């Protein structure tokens, strides 16, 4: 059975005190019953990971992710963070291939494949992001484009490794724009990606993978999106910065 997941990507927001306050609020507000049904993940900036981990350590409602990792294990990469450092700081998950990383930091499918490998080797669960620009959506070949992102960054993995990955479909035209994909658009892409994975691997593996939707997901639209049969939850940006909005989204399953 695949998991229902809500993950909050704080991006480059929140000072340490603000981040700790947000974390405590989320931990206190997530209802007990959510524990059995859904996995809740927060991804603060790197520098807050250890402090947030300390706040999370006596509970199991909320789990910790990093927003990125480097593709090499260690070395002369000033300012970068390795997957083993993240694991040692207490992260269990890492977002890989967010569209902002692809766009502003020129991360390619090939480099992302290496990041996925190194994350898995360090026992981190990758939250692998994929998604098309408005231009590609309007050209009409968006399913092929996103399928190819999966193929080039994930399809080298053996079954047991791919089954540990969480996929997040995030149409770039919907991220931070207030413009959400309709539930029909999200369902179409999620079903197509699952079918593509099934054809390359197996129905069983594809059925068990969690595929999250991301892109201006908020309390007012989460219920409709999460009701789609192939949408297993959300990767949330802006709305994850408010404990009330984030927890309302979690309650939308
Ligand atoms: C994101 O950046 O992953 C995201 C989904 O952002 P927002 O919810 O703000 O559109």
């Amino acid at each position: 059975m695949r998991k229902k997941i809500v993950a909050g990507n704080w991006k480059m927001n929140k000072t340490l005190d603000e981040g700790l306050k947000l974390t405590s609020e989320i931990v206190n507000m997530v209802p007990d019953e959510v524990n059995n049904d859904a996995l809740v993940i927060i991804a603060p900036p790197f520098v807050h990971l250890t402090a947030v981990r300390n706040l999370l350590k006596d509970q199991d409602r909320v789990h910790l992710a990093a927003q990125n990792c480097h593709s090499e294990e260690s070395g002369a990469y000033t300012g970068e963070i390795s997957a083993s450092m993240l694991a040692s700081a207490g992260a269990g998950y890492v977002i890989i291939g967010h569209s902002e990383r692809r766009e502003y930091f020129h991360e390619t499918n090939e480099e992302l494949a290496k990041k996925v490998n190194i994350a898995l080797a360090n026992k981190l669960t990758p939250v692998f992001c994929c998604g098309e620009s408005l231009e590609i959506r309007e050209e009409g070949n968006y399913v092929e484009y996103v399928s190819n992102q999966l193929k080039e960054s994930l399809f080298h993995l053996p079954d047991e490794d791919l089954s540990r990955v969480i996929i997040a479909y995030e149409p770039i035209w919907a991220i931070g724009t207030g413009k959400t994909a309709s539930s029909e658009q999200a369902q179409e892409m999620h079903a197509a990606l699952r079918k593509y994975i099934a054809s390359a691997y197996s129905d069983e593996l594809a059925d068990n993978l969690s595929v999250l939707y991301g892109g201006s997901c908020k309390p007012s639209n989460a219920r409709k999106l999460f009701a789609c049969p192939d949408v297993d939850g959300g990767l949330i940006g802006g709305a994850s910065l408010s404990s009330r909005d984030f927890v309302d989204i979690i309650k939308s399953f």
Side-chain angles (χ1 to χ4, degrees):
M1 250 282 275
R2 57 189 188 245
K3 280 196 195 99
K4 300 205 170 295
I5 301 170
V6 175
N9 173 12
W10 297 3
K11 308 190 184 186
M12 196 174 73
N13 291 296
K14 302 288 178 192
T15 62
L16 179 59
D17 286 349
E18 290 165 350
L20 294 177
K21 180 168 175 280
L22 177 58
T23 304
S24 305
E25 287 170 1
I26 293 168
V27 169
N28 292 330
M29 287 164 70
V30 171
D32 279 339
E33 61 273 18
V34 162
N35 250 352
N36 308 323
D37 291 348
L39 184 62
V40 177
I41 302 170
I42 54 175
F46 289 139
V47 284
H48 302 347
L49 283 173
T50 309
V52 172
R53 187 269 315 264
N54 290 340
L55 269 189
L56 297 181
K57 71 175 186 300
D58 296 324
Q59 56 83 57
D60 60 0
R61 295 157 185 232
V62 182
H63 301 260
L64 189 61
Q67 298 175 17
N68 178 35
C69 67
H70 196 269
S71 54
E72 298 293 331
E73 187 58 60
S74 63
Y77 301 101
T78 302
E80 291 292 327
I81 311 280
S82 72
S84 61
M85 292 171 192
L86 298 177
S88 71
Y93 300 80
V94 58
I95 299 172
I96 290 179
H98 191 280
S99 60
E100 288 150 17
R101 300 288 323 168
R102 293 176 187 261
E103 184 181 347
Y104 306 138
F105 301 94
H106 313 294
E107 295 189 356
T108 60
N109 291 343
E110 194 185 355
E111 186 184 0
L112 297 175
K114 288 195 204 156
K115 291 192 178 201
V116 168
N117 292 346
I118 206 128
L120 288 167
N122 283 281
K123 310 227 173 326
L124 295 171
T125 298
V127 179
F128 179 79
C129 302
C130 54
E132 81 287 1
S133 64
L134 186 58
E135 196 186 349
I136 291 164
R137 164 95 9 198
E138 286 175 348
E139 277 167 16
N141 56 343
Y142 49 91
V143 169
E144 294 74 17
Y145 181 86
V146 179
S147 299
N148 190 56
Q149 290 180 321
L150 298 193
K151 182 172 159 211
E152 293 192 355
S153 298
L154 297 179
F155 280 13
H156 61 286
L157 295 172
D159 291 41
E160 65 272 27
D161 282 349
L162 184 63
S163 65
R164 291 169 52 203
V165 174
I166 298 166
I167 292 173
Y169 167 58
E170 301 205 302
I172 298 168
W173 45 272
I175 294 180
T177 57
K179 197 172 169 187
T180 318
S182 66
S183 47
E184 291 77 16
Q185 287 172 318
Q187 171 58 24
E188 179 200 23
M189 181 64 87
H190 284 225
L193 295 181
R194 213 181 288 286
K195 199 165 154 207
Y196 187 56
I197 294 165
S199 68
Y201 287 83
S202 65
D203 287 343
E204 195 193 350
L205 194 153
D207 276 348
N208 285 322
L209 275 190
S210 294
V211 185
L212 315 184
Y213 168 78
S216 298
C217 184
K218 33 188 188 276
S220 58
N221 57 26
R223 196 172 292 272
K224 207 161 169 212
L225 286 160
F226 295 179
C228 299
D230 285 289
V231 176
D232 305 308
L235 177 55
I236 318 298
S240 73
L241 300 175
S242 148
S243 52
R244 182 174 296 271
D245 285 353
F246 188 58
V247 173
D248 280 350
I249 291 171
I250 295 164
K251 289 180 186 163
S252 301
F253 284 118

